[in-house]
């Protein structure tokens, strides 16, 4: 018998339906040569720190006593519910799988996890824990069911052509490495930061750089000081058409007279059309969708969050209407040409004018890592059967597919006009006129080119250049589209990312090189969930399709800075690159783990600094000394240092943890309480933004500045 372990019940149902003739049992289907059972996604999760190094008092409370934790061997345990107790549904289903996999008549076990690194290890972990003895692995064959979509045709075709599970070992190794590294960062640094601040801080390998990007952008906007400049612009009409010409030369706010003089100089020269080029051309459609590009379009057009769009496209995939969604490619594999022809024949019956096109802009194996671009399948949803979100998502996917394979070309006339103003400046105007709509009738297309007036070479152009006051603009908040583009390659200049949005058909070889090298922050499979976690944690918010930092997000980033936890894009990308090396077989899992452990250990290492520069404010509950008012213990609290008799005796003594932007270290606080004065502390910031140095001294039970005496 062949035992198929599907990642989810929905996939198990689709496989069962495709095979046919199977009967329902308690937790599985069986019939003929197949048994089909399922998991609920992750049946297992990594054990918490207490499984390796219990807290000294046995309470399970977070403590620095068992940090940092670097397990020699990671332990997986059955998933628990919110009360940290074994989930009965998970336990029962695992017991079912365990009985099935150890049946004497089961000679082949088939991994039917989702076709990605996460799905690969979900089922592997289940198999490892379900086999009763190591030698049982030698007695059975292990295969991988790799499904680009969940139609019956694809499932049956994949079942007849399965590879050995070992063919996917490198994918699994990368999956394990990601899981272990994310645990190391998340568990160690979340506990450390939370114990330091007294506030739950969700610190993760990817979530922090994402929040950091939004924080940096919003701080740049908040602190932006607009500047005035003068642009020299002509908006005069020629033959009833307004022609706007903007000089490349700009003038600062104190150069108005220079701007006026330059405008007069231009006006005195006159303007003439020096060249007009017209060319009939084809306008190519955009590429097929990766998950990111699809989410960009849905966010921009419908203000649909990444979480909602992923939920909808995942539902369409599980229902067999689209191919695997978590793909980073906009290309199809050359081996898929016959499959595409089959889809086109179905789409043509819907009335769309499509025909097969064999082009390098569509089929390119070099730009596919694991999965091809998103496309519809041969299974078409019945009219009115989809939810509103699924309807929008499916519509976007099928319209782009129709555009790419449209038999009607979009023909345009490209016009380029050059206007010379003496020998001082030459202006170039570009415009397109659509002659035949072609694919633009089916897919969204907005031309940014302007309509040009009917002028010929040698024609005079009326000009009236005048200085026009302009104001520099702040950066723009991240949108779903611009944040996604940043996360795909955080080192690509924003201007280049904007150009990419405008022209989908530009050379993208460098983009795919960056993806395959691991330069992206997060992956197509994880990015949406991580951003959603940042929203649920109250770090960022999404209004329509624009992201904003929230106070808790500001506190997260600023607190991590004070703790010298540098979870920036550079370190995250270094880890991403090492994970890609694991995937390519160029390094071992332990090599990636060593890199992560070194970074984490550095956070916990004690660095000797002078009292003047010390910013280590200790941990919640640390005793700084005796209260100068009542003699009680002064302890480190969430907001500063306060007397422990605050509740019982009503003592009001307290000192803020941050004064004028400067963290007051535990060592400085101890000195203040011990001798009534600190040494000089460097790095206070005044309201005007100037930095200054000062000591602190106690005066009538309050901490006040004590500036050095000047002679």
């Amino acid at each position: 018998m062949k035992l198929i372990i599907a990642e989810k019940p929905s996939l198990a149902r689709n496989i069962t339906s495709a095979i046919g003739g199977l009967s329902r049992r308690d937790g599985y289907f069986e019939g003929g040569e197949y048994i089909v059972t399922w998991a609920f996604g992750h049946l297992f999760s990594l054990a918490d720190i207490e499984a390796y190094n219990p807290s000294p008092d046995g309470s399970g409370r977070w403590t620095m006593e068992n940090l940092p934790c670097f397990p020699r061997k990671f332990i997986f345990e059955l998933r628990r519910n919110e009360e940290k107790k074994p989930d009965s549904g998970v336990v029962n289903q695992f017991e079912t799988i365990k009985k099935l996999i150890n049946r004497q008549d089961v000679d082949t076990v088939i991994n039917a996890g989702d076709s990605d690194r996460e799905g690969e290890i979900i089922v592997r972990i289940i198999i490892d824990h379900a086999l009763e003895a190591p030698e049982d692995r030698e007695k059975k064959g292990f295969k991988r069911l790799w499904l680009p979509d969940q139609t019956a045709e694809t499932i049956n075709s994949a079942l007849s052509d399965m590879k050995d599970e070992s063919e996917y070992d490198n994918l699994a190794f990368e999956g394990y490495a990601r899981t272990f590294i994310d645990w190391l960062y998340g568990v160690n640094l979340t506990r450390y930061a939370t114990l330091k601040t007294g506030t739950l801080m969700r610190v993760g390998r990817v979530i922090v750089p994402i929040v950091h990007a939004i924080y940096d952008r919003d701080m740049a906007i908040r602190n932006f000081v607009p500047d005035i400049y003068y642009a020299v612009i002509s908006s005069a009409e020629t033959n009833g058409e307004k022609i706007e010409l903007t000089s490349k030369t700009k003038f600062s706010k104190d150069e108005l007279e220079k701007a006026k003089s330059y405008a007069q100089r231009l006006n005195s020269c006159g303007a003439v059309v020096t060249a007009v080029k017209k060319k009939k051309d084809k306008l190519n459609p955009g590429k097929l969708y990766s998950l990111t590009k699809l989410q960009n379009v849905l966010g921009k057009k419908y203000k649909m969050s990444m979480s909602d769009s992923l939920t909808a496209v995942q539902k369409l995939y599980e229902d067999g209407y689209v191919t695997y969604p978590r793909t980073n490619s906009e290309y199809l594999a050359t081996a898929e040409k016959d499959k595409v022809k089959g889809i086109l024949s179905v789409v043509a019956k819907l009335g769309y004018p499509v025909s097969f096109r064999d082009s390098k802009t569509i089929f390119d194996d070099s730009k596919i890592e694991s999965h091809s671009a998103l496309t519809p399948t041969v299974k078409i949803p019945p009219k009115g059967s989809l939810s509103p979100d699924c309807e929008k998502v499916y519509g976007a996917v099928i319209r782009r597919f129709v555009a790419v394979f449209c038999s009607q070309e979009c023909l345009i006339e490209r016009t380029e006009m050059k206007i010379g103003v003496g020998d001082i400046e030459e202006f170039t105007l570009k415009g397109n006129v659509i002659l035949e709509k072609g694919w633009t009738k089916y897919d969204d297309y907005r031309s940014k080119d302007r309509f040009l007036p009917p002028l010929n070479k040698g024609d005079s152009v009326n000009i009236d250049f005048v200085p026009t006051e302009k104001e520099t603009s702040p950066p723009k908040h991240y949108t779903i589209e611009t944040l996604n583009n940043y996360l795909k390659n955080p080192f690509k200049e924003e201007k280049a990312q904007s150009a990419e949005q405008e022209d989908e058909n530009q050379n993208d070889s460098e983009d795919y090189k960056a993806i395959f090298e691991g330069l992206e922050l997060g992956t197509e499979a994880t990015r949406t969930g991580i951003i959603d976690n940042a929203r649920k944690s109250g770090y960022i918010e999404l209004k329509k399709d624009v992201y904003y930092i929230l106070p808790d997000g500001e506190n997260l980033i600023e607190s991590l800075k004070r703790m010298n936890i540098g979870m920036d894009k550079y370190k995250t990308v270094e880890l991403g690159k090492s994970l890609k090396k694991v995937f390519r077989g160029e390094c071992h899992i332990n090599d990636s783990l060593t890199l992560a452990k070194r970074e984490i250990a550095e956070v916990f290492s004690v660095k000797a600094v002078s009292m003047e520069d010390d910013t280590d404010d200790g941990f919640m509950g640390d005793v700084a000394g005796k209260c100068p008012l009542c003699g009680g213990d002064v302890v480190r609290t969430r907001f500063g240092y306060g007397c422990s008799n605050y509740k019982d005796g009503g003592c009001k003594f307290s000192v803020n943890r941050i004064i004028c932007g400067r963290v007051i270290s535990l060592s400085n606080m101890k000195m203040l309480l011990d001798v009534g004065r600190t040494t000089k502390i460097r790095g206070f910031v005044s309201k005007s933004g100037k930095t200054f140095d000062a000591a602190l001294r106690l005066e009538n039970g309050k901490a006040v500045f004590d500036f050095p005496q000047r002679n």
Side-chain angles (χ1 to χ4, degrees):
M1 295 288 286
K2 298 176 182 177
L3 172 63
I4 301 174
I5 305 175
E7 183 175 328
K8 299 169 189 169
S10 59
L11 176 56
R13 289 193 296 270
N14 288 339
I15 293 172
T16 300
S17 177
I19 295 172
L22 279 71
S23 301
R24 179 70 186 251
R25 303 280 194 270
D26 186 12
Y28 64 99
F29 296 91
E30 184 172 1
E33 62 177 331
Y34 289 104
I35 303 170
V36 181
T37 188
W38 58 86
F40 303 123
H42 292 275
L43 287 191
F44 286 83
S45 60
L46 283 171
D48 227 328
I49 282 178
E50 283 68 31
Y52 309 99
N53 189 5
S55 53
D57 62 1
S59 66
R61 286 196 299 267
W62 290 5
T63 172
M64 283 297 296
E65 296 299 315
N66 54 14
L67 291 177
C69 181
F70 300 137
R72 290 185 177 179
K73 183 177 181 181
F74 285 90
I75 300 170
F76 287 94
E77 59 184 16
L78 280 171
R79 200 175 71 208
R80 297 171 179 266
N81 57 26
E82 293 180 358
E83 288 78 37
K84 301 296 183 183
K85 296 179 181 178
D87 185 293
S88 58
V90 167
V91 172
N92 291 339
Q93 190 60 24
F94 175 67
E95 288 301 320
T96 297
I97 296 172
K98 189 174 181 179
K99 289 176 183 176
L100 293 172
I101 203 171
N102 290 294
R103 270 175 41 172
Q104 292 299 311
D105 60 340
V106 170
D107 55 16
T108 303
V109 180
I110 300 169
N111 180 341
D114 272 358
S115 300
D116 57 23
R117 59 184 63 82
E118 188 175 16
E120 180 65 37
I121 67 170
I122 282 175
V123 177
R124 285 194 181 214
I125 293 166
I126 292 170
I127 292 171
D128 288 344
H129 286 78
L131 287 169
E132 292 179 342
E135 57 269 20
D136 291 342
R137 180 172 284 278
E138 305 300 322
K139 300 175 184 177
K140 301 179 187 291
F142 293 88
K143 298 288 185 179
R144 181 60 158 108
L145 183 62
W146 191 265
L147 297 174
D149 65 63
Q150 292 189 23
T151 60
E153 294 89 341
T154 297
I155 291 169
N156 283 316
S157 174
L159 282 170
S160 65
D161 188 28
M162 290 185 292
K163 294 179 180 178
D164 286 341
E165 176 72 303
S166 59
E167 294 281 329
Y168 298 87
D169 280 352
N170 282 350
L171 182 69
F173 295 155
E174 185 194 357
Y176 283 120
R178 280 183 186 274
T179 300
F180 298 155
I181 286 173
D182 287 344
W183 186 95
L184 288 170
Y185 272 95
V187 172
N188 280 298
L189 298 187
T190 292
R191 291 192 178 204
Y192 177 78
T194 299
L195 290 168
K196 287 281 285 183
T197 63
T199 303
L200 178 61
M201 295 272 175
R202 299 188 188 280
V203 184
R205 182 179 63 90
V206 180
I207 191 173
V208 170
I210 289 174
V211 176
H212 210 312
I214 297 169
Y215 168 88
D216 285 345
R217 177 60 54 86
D218 281 22
M219 291 304 105
I221 294 169
R222 187 181 300 174
N223 298 324
F224 179 78
V225 178
D227 195 13
I228 301 297
Y229 70 95
Y230 290 98
V232 178
I233 301 173
S234 171
S235 301
E237 289 188 0
T238 299
N239 299 337
E241 294 280 353
K242 185 166 76 172
I243 300 176
E244 188 166 296
L245 305 175
T246 301
S247 171
K248 295 175 184 175
T249 304
K250 294 179 174 59
F251 298 87
S252 64
K253 60 185 175 184
D254 57 352
E255 294 180 323
L256 176 57
E257 292 306 315
K258 285 186 179 180
K260 287 179 179 178
S261 175
Y262 188 71
Q264 290 173 359
R265 184 182 169 200
L266 290 172
N267 290 331
S268 67
C269 292
V272 65
V273 177
T274 57
V276 177
K277 293 180 182 178
K278 292 187 177 182
K279 177 186 176 184
K280 289 185 178 179
D281 201 357
K282 290 190 302 182
L283 182 67
N284 292 319
K287 301 188 189 82
L288 295 169
Y289 287 131
S290 64
L291 177 60
T292 291
K293 285 296 177 70
L294 176 65
Q295 289 178 316
N296 287 351
V297 168
L298 295 168
K300 196 171 187 177
K301 186 173 183 179
Y302 301 114
K303 313 305 178 191
M304 191 183 295
S305 72
M306 291 174 64
S307 177
D308 288 345
S309 59
L310 179 58
T311 297
V313 75
Q314 181 70 24
K315 179 71 165 63
L316 291 168
Y317 165 66
E318 291 174 1
D319 289 344
Y321 299 133
V322 300
T323 55
Y324 184 74
R326 290 177 170 86
T327 173
N328 57 17
S329 181
E330 299 158 86
Y331 293 84
L332 299 173
T334 53
E336 295 178 290
K337 291 177 182 178
D338 287 340
K339 174 184 171 183
V340 169
K341 290 175 183 176
I343 300 170
L344 287 170
S345 66
V346 173
V347 171
K349 292 175 184 177
L350 299 176
Y352 292 110
V354 292
S355 60
F356 180 75
R357 288 177 56 225
D358 192 348
S359 167
K360 192 75 171 175
T361 61
I362 304 172
F363 299 95
D364 190 343
D365 293 339
S366 70
K367 292 173 182 174
I368 299 171
E369 186 177 45
S370 297
H371 289 282
S372 299
L374 255 165
T375 71
T377 67
V378 293
K379 186 178 178 182
I380 306 296
K383 192 173 182 179
S385 64
L386 300 179
S387 68
D389 276 359
C390 285
E391 188 76 49
K392 291 171 185 173
V393 174
Y394 186 75
V397 173
I398 197 167
R399 284 196 304 272
R400 178 54 59 93
F401 185 77
V402 168
V404 168
F405 290 100
C406 189
S407 57
Q408 300 171 354
E409 293 181 335
C410 175
L411 301 180
I412 60 173
E413 184 178 69
R414 298 186 189 274
T415 302
E416 182 180 282
M417 182 183 297
K418 293 184 182 295
I419 297 174
V421 180
D423 59 356
I424 303 175
E425 279 201 55
E426 186 174 66
F427 300 85
T428 300
L429 306 180
K430 294 181 180 181
N432 289 342
V433 176
I434 293 180
L435 304 176
E436 294 183 25
K437 288 187 175 181
W439 62 264
T440 64
K441 291 186 288 187
Y442 308 101
D443 198 19
D444 296 330
Y445 172 71
R446 291 182 183 177
S447 175
K448 294 185 178 180
D449 294 307
R450 50 190 158 178
F451 180 77
L452 301 184
L455 296 175
N456 298 308
K457 183 178 179 181
D459 287 349
S460 295
V461 177
N462 295 328
I463 54 174
D464 182 20
F465 283 98
V466 293
T468 304
E469 186 178 291
K470 297 280 187 178
E471 189 175 83
T472 54
S473 301
K476 293 182 179 179
H477 290 282
Y478 276 116
T479 64
I480 290 174
E481 181 176 24
T482 56
L483 182 65
N484 260 340
N485 289 335
Y486 168 79
L487 298 177
K488 279 182 66 178
N489 187 349
F491 301 101
K492 188 175 184 178
E493 289 187 18
E494 190 160 347
K495 288 182 180 178
Q497 290 173 344
S498 299
E500 178 188 81
Q501 296 166 40
E502 294 176 9
D503 182 9
E504 290 189 54
N505 290 297
Q506 67 174 1
N507 190 315
D508 55 11
S509 297
E510 288 300 314
D511 293 334
Y512 280 91
K513 182 181 178 183
I515 291 171
F516 296 161
E517 284 182 357
L519 294 186
E520 58 185 344
L521 296 177
T523 65
E524 302 286 342
T526 62
R527 199 174 291 137
T528 298
I530 294 169
I531 291 175
D532 206 39
N533 282 338
R535 290 174 62 196
K536 290 175 180 176
S537 299
Y539 297 146
I540 60 174
E541 68 176 338
L542 180 67
K543 290 183 179 179
K544 293 187 176 179
D545 69 331
V546 179
Y547 289 107
Y548 300 90
I549 196 72
L550 291 173
D552 282 353
E554 292 181 33
N555 184 45
L556 171 72
I557 300 305
E558 290 168 3
S559 295
L560 294 181
K561 284 181 180 178
R562 291 194 292 269
M563 289 181 273
N564 295 316
I565 298 179
M567 296 288 293
D568 57 24
K569 65 183 181 181
Y570 299 97
K571 289 184 179 179
T572 299
V573 162
E574 280 304 309
L575 285 166
K577 288 164 70 174
S578 75
L579 290 169
K580 288 297 182 183
K581 289 181 180 179
V582 173
F583 174 66
R584 294 193 298 267
E586 296 170 5
C587 72
H588 191 268
I589 290 176
N590 287 335
D591 297 323
S592 284
L593 295 185
T594 298
L595 179 61
K597 290 174 183 177
R598 186 167 64 240
E599 297 284 0
I600 294 165
E602 202 170 303
V603 173
F604 288 85
S605 62
V606 178
K607 301 177 182 67
V609 294
S610 67
M611 293 286 281
E612 294 180 342
D613 299 312
D614 188 12
T615 59
D616 184 358
D617 55 357
F619 295 88
M620 283 283 292
D622 281 352
V623 176
K626 294 299 180 180
C627 176
L629 300 182
C630 72
D633 285 339
V634 174
V635 297
R636 180 42 174 92
T637 67
R638 178 179 173 184
F639 301 105
Y641 303 92
C643 181
S644 58
N645 290 329
Y646 176 81
K647 290 183 179 179
D648 298 333
C651 183
K652 304 296 185 184
F653 178 79
S654 67
V655 174
N656 288 338
R657 189 162 57 92
I658 300 174
I659 299 175
C660 289
R662 176 65 159 85
V663 174
I664 307 305
S665 71
L666 182 63
S667 296
N668 274 308
M669 190 63 201
K670 286 180 176 180
M671 179 181 286
L672 181 65
L673 294 173
D674 186 32
V675 299
R677 186 183 184 279
T678 69
T679 57
K680 181 177 69 175
I681 299 173
R682 288 199 288 235
F684 293 107
V685 182
S686 69
K687 290 181 179 179
S688 63
K690 293 182 178 180
T691 59
F692 65 93
D693 304 334
L696 293 177
R697 62 182 170 82
L698 287 175
E699 185 177 287
N700 299 322
K702 292 184 178 181
V704 298
F705 286 119
D706 189 1
F707 294 98
Q709 296 293 322
R710 294 183 180 178
N711 295 327

